[in-house]
Amino acid sequence: MKKRSALPVLTILCLALAVLTAIGLGACGKDEPTNAGPFTESVSSAADMEKLRSHLGAYYDQGVFELTNDIFIDGDWAPIGTSVTESFRGTLDGKGHTVTYTIDLETPDKTDTSALATSSSYGLFGYLAGATVKNLNLVVNVKVPVEAEILYAGGLAGFIYGDAFIENVNVSGSVTVSVSNILNESIADIYASEMNASIGGVFGYAIGDVTLKNVSSSADVTAAAYRLLGTATLDTVQIGGVGGTLRTEDISTISAAGQKLENVSHVSVNNVSSSGRVEAWGASVNAGGIFGLTHRTLAEKVYFTGTISAYFVSRINAGGIVGTEDMGDFSKIISGTATEAFSVTVGKAYNAGIPATAGVGGIAGYVSNGSVLGYAVAYSDITLDISSPTQIRHYLGGIAGQVYFSKLNAVASSGTYVNNSFGEFTHSAAGGYVVDYYGYTGGIAGRLYGASSLSDAVSLIDGVYQPIAGEALGGYEVVSPDDGQSIAAWLQANGYPADTVYEEISGDDDDELTYLVSHRFTVSDANYLVAAVDSRTDSDLTAVSNGIGTLSDEATLLSALNEIAAAAQA
């Protein structure tokens, strides 16, 4: 086969670029700049804000736009940026000024969910990529329908990508997404449409080496689904007072022993707070006072004083700070205050025979895969609202609902549990008191399992199934060491204790050695106020304990809690 000359291809490219040059987008054979270089422009009006639309993309990433006064935008605002490629990448410096805007789109009746767009994004910015936004106050009224497979919405931005830097930003007002009325369609058709939402007071979805510093929100955040035949019509919801989803692009795994992998990127969060109301309806929900879902996030000084109300169909993780924390490290975190506990209410949106799992905690609903919670205090009032005994299991804890392969250190909880459901906060299983319904509640964790550890814990909560951990389990995994590496060396390299139990399960025909490795949870220095009681007994209430923790007096526990709280606020 003969090789074709490259000349015709280059000629075609030059002709194409000549067309682009005519409209100011490119050139061929000329030394055109690839970047506008550094420049600064003043922004003093709504018209000036509109001009940012002509400064999108990498060409303008060195541009700095500075507010010179407060700006009120009249009418419905169209978000700046329509994709990651066509996104704002420069710097917006609010200089302490306030931008007020509204996005109020009608939620129409909709009879066809098969023609949904792939995604849509709402906020002052639709998309930010590697941008810097600082010293800015926002007063927002965002009300939009979910008319895409995935919707992103936030007061500042719907979608944030790359090494974005958000500093000294405050948002007030409200961010609401709602599902269109679904008419004349079956439940199966609705779920097939997979309408999902990631929303927050500041941003909806952020991915990359994102930094949040001195960010706060008092905005009310709502994911409201119209109900058809008693069920929610949103498939998945990630919702938080500040952000819906916060994660890096690095999705590599972590060792099962809970060790963080080195040289991987993390999101950075410092001094972030929320005091608004978070409400959600959905089939599967991650709801948090600050974030719905986080991945590889390093967070310090995070505080929540609002309320959470979330109703779900199949699964929920809800917490005062985060719904689900994965591979992260949160320290110096407080939900509620010593004088006023925050409230979280979780309930079933639909009960007809759909199995469900709930994880609810004063700090996090679910903590997983090597995450760390340290110097964390929760003052919480948790309400479980279940109207009928469907197949459900729930894990409720003063700090976390479920803790999997993770560490809790220097944590303290205070507050109450309120049960508006059909049963007591007690363990029930098939053959027990209520078939297909059981729950574990603990003063610190509803469930502690895998190679998890709990240390320096204080609980002042009464009336739970167990004073520290409702359920505590070990676990196991199947591993294959590298060629030439012994199982003992593999265990040491992955942070397992020296007394870890393992067993070879390799078959005669296997090319590599395979082992079954057992995990053990560990608890040290855990103290509680009162022993739990078993309220399932027909006569006298019987004190119960699974042997985890030490009974202590209130004065000692309050002193310990206050000490942890002081460290969390330092």
Side-chain angles (χ1 to χ4, degrees):
M1 181 180 289
K2 291 185 179 180
K3 222 181 232 186
R4 294 186 178 180
S5 170
L7 184 58
V9 176
L10 290 175
T11 303
I12 292 170
L13 288 174
C14 283
L15 289 172
L17 287 173
V19 175
L20 294 177
T21 302
I23 58 175
L25 294 179
C28 187
K30 294 183 179 180
D31 188 18
E32 291 290 335
T34 59
N35 190 281
F39 64 92
T40 301
E41 292 188 7
S42 297
V43 178
S44 60
S45 65
D48 288 343
M49 288 294 298
E50 289 284 355
K51 292 179 183 178
L52 268 64
R53 301 184 196 280
S54 62
H55 294 80
L56 302 180
Y59 186 77
Y60 297 104
D61 63 5
Q62 296 185 58
V64 177
F65 301 85
E66 298 179 341
L67 268 64
T68 59
N69 48 257
D70 294 347
I71 296 175
F72 179 85
I73 299 174
D74 195 17
D76 273 340
W77 174 252
I80 299 171
T82 57
S83 67
V84 172
T85 303
E86 291 297 312
S87 60
F88 181 77
R89 300 190 175 209
T91 296
L92 176 63
D93 187 348
K95 296 291 184 179
H97 295 296
T98 299
V99 174
T100 302
Y101 77 92
T102 294
I103 303 176
D104 190 356
L105 303 182
E106 184 180 358
T107 303
D109 289 344
K110 194 171 183 66
T111 59
D112 179 15
T113 58
S114 63
L116 293 173
T118 301
S119 65
S120 57
S121 187
Y122 296 94
L124 182 67
F125 295 92
Y127 289 85
L128 292 173
T132 294
V133 180
K134 59 184 180 179
N135 308 321
L136 179 65
N137 301 307
L138 293 171
V139 179
V140 308
N141 176 20
V142 177
K143 185 178 181 181
V144 296
V146 179
E147 293 189 324
E149 292 179 8
I150 176 67
L151 177 140
Y152 312 111
L156 173 63
F159 193 97
I160 300 176
Y161 177 78
D163 56 344
F165 188 82
I166 313 299
E167 181 181 22
N168 298 331
V169 171
N170 173 265
V171 178
S172 60
S174 63
V175 178
T176 301
V177 304
S178 57
V179 176
S180 304
N181 283 315
I182 309 296
L183 305 178
N184 303 318
E185 289 198 271
S186 69
I187 296 294
D189 290 336
I190 294 171
Y191 281 113
S193 68
E194 294 186 356
M195 293 182 291
N196 310 292
S198 186
I199 67 173
V202 179
F203 64 88
Y205 192 103
I207 178 172
D209 296 336
V210 179
T211 297
L212 304 176
K213 185 177 181 180
N214 301 332
V215 174
S216 62
S217 174
S218 60
D220 294 331
V221 185
T222 306
Y226 284 86
R227 300 179 67 190
L228 179 67
L229 301 180
T231 186
T233 51
L234 273 173
D235 186 35
T236 63
V237 178
Q238 321 291 354
I239 184 171
V242 171
T245 304
L246 181 62
R247 51 159 296 184
T248 67
E249 291 185 270
D250 189 340
I251 58 173
S252 56
T253 58
I254 200 163
S255 72
Q259 279 195 325
K260 290 184 177 63
L261 300 177
E262 299 298 327
N263 302 318
V264 295
S265 59
H266 288 84
V267 177
S268 176
V269 175
N270 184 269
N271 195 25
V272 172
S273 63
S274 174
S275 58
R277 185 177 66 248
V278 176
E279 296 184 353
W281 282 75
S284 177
V285 178
N286 280 306
I290 304 295
F291 305 118
L293 171 67
T294 64
H295 171 78
R296 292 199 184 284
T297 297
L298 303 181
E300 184 177 82
K301 296 184 178 179
V302 183
Y303 310 112
F304 175 65
T305 56
T307 62
I308 300 172
S309 177
Y311 285 79
F312 69 106
V313 177
S314 60
R315 179 178 294 274
I316 190 169
N317 291 309
I321 299 298
V322 60
T324 294
E325 177 198 0
D326 184 52
M327 301 187 194
D329 191 332
F330 280 58
S331 65
K332 297 186 176 181
I333 49 182
I334 300 177
S335 58
T337 67
T339 57
E340 185 174 357
F342 87 94
S343 69
V344 52
T345 300
V346 168
K348 276 293 240 85
Y350 185 58
N351 289 300
I354 298 178
T357 302
V360 186
I363 297 293
Y366 192 83
V367 182
S368 64
N369 295 323
S371 292
V372 177
L373 285 179
Y375 292 99
V377 179
Y379 306 92
S380 59
D381 292 332
I382 299 176
T383 299
L384 183 67
D385 185 10
I386 306 295
S387 61
S388 63
T390 57
Q391 296 170 297
I392 182 172
R393 62 186 66 184
H394 64 257
Y395 305 96
L396 281 68
I399 296 295
Q402 295 193 71
V403 181
Y404 175 69
F405 286 112
S406 298
K407 301 175 181 179
L408 272 60
N409 176 55
V411 295
S413 64
S414 174
T416 62
Y417 291 111
V418 179
N419 180 18
N420 290 337
S421 67
F422 55 88
E424 298 295 327
F425 274 146
T426 57
H427 167 58
S428 303
Y433 293 87
V434 182
V435 177
D436 289 333
Y437 163 75
Y438 64 90
Y440 291 96
T441 60
I444 298 296
R447 190 186 199 198
L448 185 71
Y449 68 117
S452 293
S453 65
L454 173 64
S455 60
D456 193 12
V458 178
S459 171
L460 283 88
I461 298 177
D462 188 10
V464 293
Y465 174 60
Q466 294 290 344
I468 295 296
E471 180 182 52
L473 302 172
Y476 66 88
E477 69 172 327
V478 177
V479 303
S480 295
D482 297 332
D483 290 340
Q485 185 182 37
S486 68
I487 181 62
W490 185 92
L491 292 171
Q492 183 179 12
N494 285 274
Y496 285 87
D499 60 351
T500 297
V501 178
Y502 59 87
E503 177 185 357
E504 184 182 347
I505 57 173
S506 309
D508 295 335
D509 298 329
D510 290 347
D511 294 332
E512 59 184 12
L513 296 176
T514 305
Y515 297 87
L516 186 68
V517 178
S518 297
H519 304 303
R520 296 178 181 176
F521 70 89
T522 58
V523 177
S524 60
D525 195 19
N527 299 277
Y528 56 87
L529 181 61
V530 293
V533 295
D534 187 345
S535 58
R536 295 169 298 169
T537 55
D538 295 330
S539 55
D540 295 335
L541 298 181
T542 304
V544 295
S545 173
N546 54 14
I548 296 177
T550 303
L551 183 65
S552 187
D553 63 275
E554 184 172 7
T556 300
L557 293 177
L558 278 174
S559 176
L561 181 147
N562 291 334
E563 184 176 337
I564 295 174
Q569 293 172 337

